[in-house]
């Protein structure tokens, strides 16, 4: 029987949708997947508020405008960085990719911590407390805000569960202290304890963010914030690294929601063209140029080369990359940062000469490139990557095997996952990290690049097996994100686990 007008009026109003406040780190590699997460939450009926600074908010406007056109409840909350302190950070720097001196990274982290007060003020001004705060693992300062308001908090961890488990086991079993006390030997190997597979590291490639001198306080705060969180959100999927997900959840002692690959939430041309674009509205136009070039290439023939948003190569190393790609004889699409191309007058001249010599076979893109659109193109058969987790997962999600060239952070252990566990990678051979700004040493010679690219793109049983595994993981990635898939259902459970209830936590 249909309700009468009187009974309908007497029925309580439906509860508001769950409200997730998402606080990414001010770095492209951390922000991009959290924007994808926010859009997915909004697509599933939740309200998502992305908290960042004005400059970073401007970069995200394209994603928010897309959401608005489809009536999604996705908004940007811009909180200006407090400027009333003289902390030594040059003015105007609001993103890690704007830093031009390695010594300024810690200053930016310290500056971002001062957003705690403005964030709490914003949350207290809301008509109702949010259902949950999801903040980057590196944003430990959000823990006090959540505690003050009685709001549940999850941490979003950017790396693989394989890396995160290595790091957590290293913390719990004293690996960092063992490494600190060990002799200063670059080649000495140490076993990561508690892993379901055998993992060895050196002092230089051991797990752990913020292990450098001067960063101890931040690292301690981040580990404590991890331990006091209500759970973790990870950009991965069960069929990729299920054994590490379950072990990580057990070691952490709290829920771990694997919701990825989040990049697969970008389903149309505009979304793929603008994802991560810091120079909008040029993304769609550039994508058409790149796509036209790729359309003229054979299937699986092109090697794509890009090293993420942070790492910058000085001219000597840049020249080795270019010569290696040229000498490989393979079609290539190479992304060179504007700062790299303009580092010295001879670099732009050299790039122009390289393009002339490899015309029809090579394409050099300066600045930003539509990575997702490139990796999803049928012509791309391999990816030379820095092994940042976003890039590695995007490659796997599109069935593309990789040449691994880690630089710092979690990238060396992501390489081990790709090469030793998943079997989709060929190492270029680096054994020691470099900071964001390369030193004058050439870590990888052109011959190393020729060897690795030839192994990746060539014929033979090993190359065929890598391609087969990559394609298989790519198919599983798409299944995970579809209705009924593991990541889709995990997102359903996540949304249902957090509801508005006067700021009280509701889990399970």
């Amino acid at each position: 029987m249909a309700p009468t007008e009187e009974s309908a009026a007497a029925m309580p109003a439906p509860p508001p949708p769950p409200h997730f406040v998402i606080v990414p780190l001010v770095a492209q590699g951390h922000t991009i997947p959290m924007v994808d997460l926010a859009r997915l939450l909004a697509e599933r009926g939740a309200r998502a508020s992305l908290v960042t600074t004005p400059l970073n908010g401007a970069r995200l406007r394209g994603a928010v405008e897309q959401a608005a056109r489809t009536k999604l409840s996705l908004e940007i909350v811009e909180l200006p960085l407090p400027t009333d302190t003289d902390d030594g950070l040059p003015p105007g720097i609001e993103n890690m990719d704007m830093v031009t001196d390695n010594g300024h990274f810690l200053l930016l982290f310290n500056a971002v911590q001062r957003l705690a007060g403005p964030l709490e003020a914003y949350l207290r001004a809301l008509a109702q407390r949010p259902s949950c705060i999801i903040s980057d693992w590196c944003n430990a300062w959000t823990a006090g805000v959540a505690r003050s308001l009685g709001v549940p908090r999850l941490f979003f961890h950017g790396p693989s569960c394989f890396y995160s488990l290595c790091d957590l086991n290293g913390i719990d079993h004293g690996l960092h202290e063992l490494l600190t006390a060990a002799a200063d030997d670059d080649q000495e190997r140490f076993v990561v304890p508690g892993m379901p597979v055998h993992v060895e590291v050196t002092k230089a490639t051991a797990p752990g963010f913020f292990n450098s001198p001067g960063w101890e306080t931040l690292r301690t705060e981040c580990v404590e914030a991890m331990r006091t969180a209500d759970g973790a959100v990870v950009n991965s999927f069960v069929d990729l690294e299920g054994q590490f997900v379950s072990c990580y959840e057990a070691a952490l002692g709290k829920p771990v929601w694997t919701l990825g690959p989040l990049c697969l939430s970008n389903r149309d041309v505009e979304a793929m063209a603008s994802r991560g674009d810091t120079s909008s509205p040029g993304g769609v136009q550039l994508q058409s140029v790149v796509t036209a070039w790729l359309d003229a290439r054979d299937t699986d023939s092109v090697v794509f080369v890009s090293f993420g948003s942070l790492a910058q190569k000085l001219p000597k190393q840049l020249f080795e990359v270019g010569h290696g790609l040229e000498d490989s004889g393979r079609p290539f699409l190479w992304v060179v940062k504007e700062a790299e191309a303009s580092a010295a007058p001879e670099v732009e001249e050299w790039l122009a000469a390289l393009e002339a010599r490899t015309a029809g076979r090579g394409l050099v893109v300066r600045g930003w490139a539509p990575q997702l659109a490139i990796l999803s193109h049928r012509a791309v058969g391999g990816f030379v990557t820095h092994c940042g987790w976003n890039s590695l997962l995007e490659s796997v999600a599109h069935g593309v095997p990789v040449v691994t060239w880690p630089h710092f952070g979690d990238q060396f252990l992501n390489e081990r996952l790709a090469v030793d566990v998943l079997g989709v990678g060929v190492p270029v051979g680096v054994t020691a990290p470099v900071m964001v700004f390369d030193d004058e040493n050439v870590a990888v010679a052109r011959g190393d690049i020729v060897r690795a690219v030839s192994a990746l793109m060539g014929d033979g049983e090993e190359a065929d097996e890598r391609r087969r595994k990559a394609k298989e993981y790519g198919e599983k990635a798409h299944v995970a994100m579809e209705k009924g898939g593991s990541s889709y259902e995990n997102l359903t459970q996540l949304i249902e686990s957090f509801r508005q209830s006067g700021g009280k936590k509701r889990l399970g």
Side-chain angles (χ1 to χ4, degrees), residues 22-27 30-31 34 51-52 96 108-109 112-113 115-116 119 133-145 153-156 210 218 221-222 225-226:
I22 297 172
V23 192
L25 183 68
V26 290
H30 293 245
T31 298
M34 294 190 80
V51 177
T52 191
M96 299 295 169
L108 180 54
F109 272 98
V112 169
Q113 289 182 327
L115 290 175
L119 175 62
I133 295 171
I134 304 178
S135 59
D136 192 285
W137 186 93
C138 300
N139 284 338
W141 54 272
T142 60
V145 176
R153 176 180 58 89
L154 305 176
F155 68 88
F156 178 93
F210 313 136
L218 181 59
E221 291 171 349
C222 288
M226 172 184 71

Side-chain angles (χ1 to χ4, degrees), residues 260-280:
L262 292 170
C263 64
L264 294 182
S265 65
N266 299 270
R267 303 177 190 93
D268 57 50
V269 171
E270 184 182 0
M272 286 197 290
S274 62
R275 184 174 185 264
D277 186 8
T278 61
S279 58
S280 198

Side-chain angles (χ1 to χ4, degrees), residues 247-412:
C247 290
Y248 182 46
E249 188 169 56
L252 198 59
K254 54 195 66 180
V256 173
W257 281 279
T258 52
L259 306 179
L262 292 170
C263 64
L264 294 182
S265 65
N266 299 270
R267 303 177 190 93
D268 57 50
V269 171
E270 184 182 0
M272 286 197 290
S274 62
R275 184 174 185 264
D277 186 8
T278 61
S279 58
S280 198
V284 173
Q285 183 179 357
L286 176 60
Q287 177 166 329
S288 66
V289 173
V290 170
T291 300
W293 186 86
L294 288 171
D295 285 345
R297 312 275 88 79
D298 293 337
T299 297
D300 291 338
S301 67
V302 176
V303 59
F304 173 49
V305 185
S306 180
F307 300 105
S309 59
L310 288 181
Q312 295 191 24
K313 304 197 175 305
L314 294 182
K316 283 183 181 178
Q317 183 64 85
L318 204 69
F319 296 158
E320 291 301 302
V321 175
H323 282 302
L325 294 173
E326 181 181 7
D327 294 348
S328 75
R330 300 282 175 176
F332 65 87
L333 196 169
W334 180 23
V335 180
V336 177
K337 295 179 180 65
E338 293 284 5
E340 294 172 330
S342 60
E346 64 269 20
V347 175
E348 187 55 57
E349 183 179 331
W350 180 85
L351 283 172
L354 173 69
E355 289 178 291
R357 291 195 305 273
T358 60
R361 178 167 69 84
L363 178 65
V364 178
V365 176
R366 291 159 180 78
W368 175 86
Q371 178 163 301
L372 207 55
I374 292 168
L375 286 170
S376 63
H377 196 284
R378 58 153 187 85
V380 175
F383 182 19
V384 180
T385 174
H386 65 304
C387 295
W389 184 239
N390 289 332
S391 290
L392 197 54
L393 188 59
E394 287 166 21
S395 199
V396 167
H398 291 97
V400 178
V402 293
V403 165
T404 56
W405 183 345
H407 288 65
F408 50 78
D410 58 312
Q411 296 165 12
F412 283 88

